[in-house]
Amino acid sequence: MLSPYAEPVPAVPLDHAQVPLSLGIDIGGTKVAAGVVDGAGRVVEELRRATPGRDARAVEGVIAQLVRELSERHAIASVGIGAAGWMDLEGARVVFSPHLAWRDEPLRETLEAMLGRPVLVTNDADAAAWAEWRFGAGQGRDRMVMLTLGTGIGGALVIDGRVERGSFGMAGEFGHQIIMSGGHRCECGNRGCWEQYASGNALGREGRELAGKHSPMAAGLLAAAHGRRKDITGSLVTSLALEGEPTARELVAEVGEWLGLGMANLAAALDPALFVVGGGLSAAGELMLEPARRAFRRNLTGRGYRQEADIVAAALGPMAGLVGAADLARVRQK
Ligand SMILES: [Zn+2]
């Protein structure tokens, strides 16, 4: 079977009404979100359920329930599943999923038998990138890198109208480029990965570390966390930065600088026209992106003699994964 990613796909067709509805399902560690998506990338209806632990059969049951419920009200032609992890190049098997018990799981086969519809299984970062390229901040750009900053860094690459998956389905794991030899330990087993420096988790860790030094600089962070150091998280520091708390702003800017440094590395390898930054940490907006642009320019190979990629915030927000999974499933049907 042809890989869904193999053929370039045209931009959004003019007559959206001619395009069948597709259902996108985004499986996260805590919730499963399902949305019916039309040909213009709009979510017609959305439902959410709690993720029923790590049990694969229970998750499949929740997916089937959501599809059945939404099918009662909408003519759904295809189903796209997005989850963290490594998927095969055919969009059929989950090779490994960090939050769920799927290991070399033939998820497409199982779900197609349960649902009676074509199913596509895709990486959540690939899905979000696809949505941004088709309907969001990446429209019309020939080479786009998407970075989703949350607990780690989700990465994906869209080139000439297709998601670049690599030879083994592992392309886009940008968060694990080693940016600091011997640096912070990463859950992947290495030290000094980019996502240990430019993610929501990194921001929270830096805040807690500062508070642990009993620095007066950390007074604002500790007060907001009601004196509990462990409650200083990336999202708390982000909110404080947006409110103008000076230490939180410094920490966000520092994370932005690490972000820009890693982007300069990616530009040396991939030369994209555009970086799109999404995920929870992107709520910091220009407080993070402006330091990122400065660090990017300072570290860019050939600076002063080359065109520079744009660095922009994602346009679609938390729905991007769901919209992209739905659209990738629909595109495969053509
Ligand atoms: Zn790593």
Side-chain angles (χ1 to χ4, degrees), residues 173 175-178 184-196:
E173 292 292 336
H176 299 286
Q177 60 165 313
I178 294 173
H184 291 293
R185 180 69 79 182
C186 182
E187 65 184 35
C188 76
N190 291 331
R191 279 186 185 277
C193 294
W194 190 26
E195 71 173 31
Q196 296 303 320

Side-chain angles (χ1 to χ4, degrees), residues 21-26 32-37 43-49 62-80 115 117 319 322 326:
L21 294 174
S22 187
L23 179 62
I25 299 185
D26 186 4
V32 180
V36 181
V37 178
V43 179
V44 179
E45 186 182 349
E46 195 209 350
L47 291 176
R48 283 163 187 251
R49 297 279 183 279
V62 167
I63 292 170
Q65 219 177 49
L66 287 164
V67 173
R68 270 194 286 271
E69 191 176 334
L70 288 164
S71 296
E72 287 169 12
R73 295 187 288 279
H74 307 279
I76 294 163
S78 53
V79 179
L115 307 175
R117 286 179 179 79
M319 300 295 256
L322 183 160

Side-chain angles (χ1 to χ4, degrees), residues 85-90 95 164-171 173:
W86 306 327
M87 314 302 168
D88 72 355
L89 288 172
E90 303 303 322
V95 180
E164 173 57 53
R165 306 284 317 283
S167 298
F168 309 109
M170 294 279 300
E173 292 292 336

Side-chain angles (χ1 to χ4, degrees), residues 44-268:
V44 179
E45 186 182 349
E46 195 209 350
L47 291 176
R48 283 163 187 251
R49 297 279 183 279
T51 305
R54 292 174 59 88
D55 180 62
R57 297 293 90 78
V59 174
E60 288 158 16
V62 167
I63 292 170
Q65 219 177 49
L66 287 164
V67 173
R68 270 194 286 271
E69 191 176 334
L70 288 164
S71 296
E72 287 169 12
R73 295 187 288 279
H74 307 279
I76 294 163
S78 53
V79 179
I81 311 278
W86 306 327
M87 314 302 168
D88 72 355
L89 288 172
E90 303 303 322
R93 300 177 85 88
V94 181
V95 180
F96 171 83
S97 177
H99 308 308
L100 298 157
W102 288 323
R103 301 287 181 268
D104 199 25
E105 183 79 26
L107 188 63
R108 183 169 75 192
E109 202 180 298
T110 311
L111 289 177
E112 283 185 345
M114 283 168 89
L115 307 175
R117 286 179 179 79
V119 170
L120 178 83
V121 177
T122 184
N123 172 274
D124 55 355
D126 286 348
W130 182 253
E132 288 290 343
W133 183 77
R134 284 266 282 168
F135 309 113
Q139 286 182 73
R141 309 301 287 264
D142 62 348
R143 190 171 284 242
M144 174 194 119
V145 168
M146 171 95 191
L147 300 165
T148 307
L149 309 182
T151 54
I153 297 179
L157 181 60
V158 178
I159 300 176
D160 295 336
R162 62 184 185 84
V163 178
E164 173 57 53
R165 306 284 317 283
S167 298
F168 309 109
M170 294 279 300
E173 292 292 336
F174 306 132
H176 299 286
Q177 60 165 313
I178 294 173
I179 207 158
M180 171 68 85
S181 181
H184 291 293
R185 180 69 79 182
C186 182
E187 65 184 35
C188 76
N190 291 331
R191 279 186 185 277
C193 294
W194 190 26
E195 71 173 31
Q196 296 303 320
Y197 297 83
S199 64
N201 274 11
L203 185 59
R205 184 198 63 226
E206 290 298 305
R208 289 189 298 275
E209 195 177 319
L210 191 63
K213 301 287 182 202
H214 306 292
S215 164
M217 292 281 295
L221 305 184
L222 270 170
H226 308 290
R228 289 188 293 267
R229 191 159 72 97
K230 68 170 178 45
D231 288 349
I232 300 175
T233 60
S235 66
L236 179 71
V237 178
T238 303
S239 317
L240 288 172
L242 288 167
E243 288 165 18
E245 204 287 320
T247 299
R249 287 202 164 190
E250 267 183 31
L251 294 176
V252 166
E254 224 171 78
V255 163
E257 284 168 21
W258 282 108
L259 182 65
L261 175 62
M263 284 174 169
N265 290 347
L266 293 181

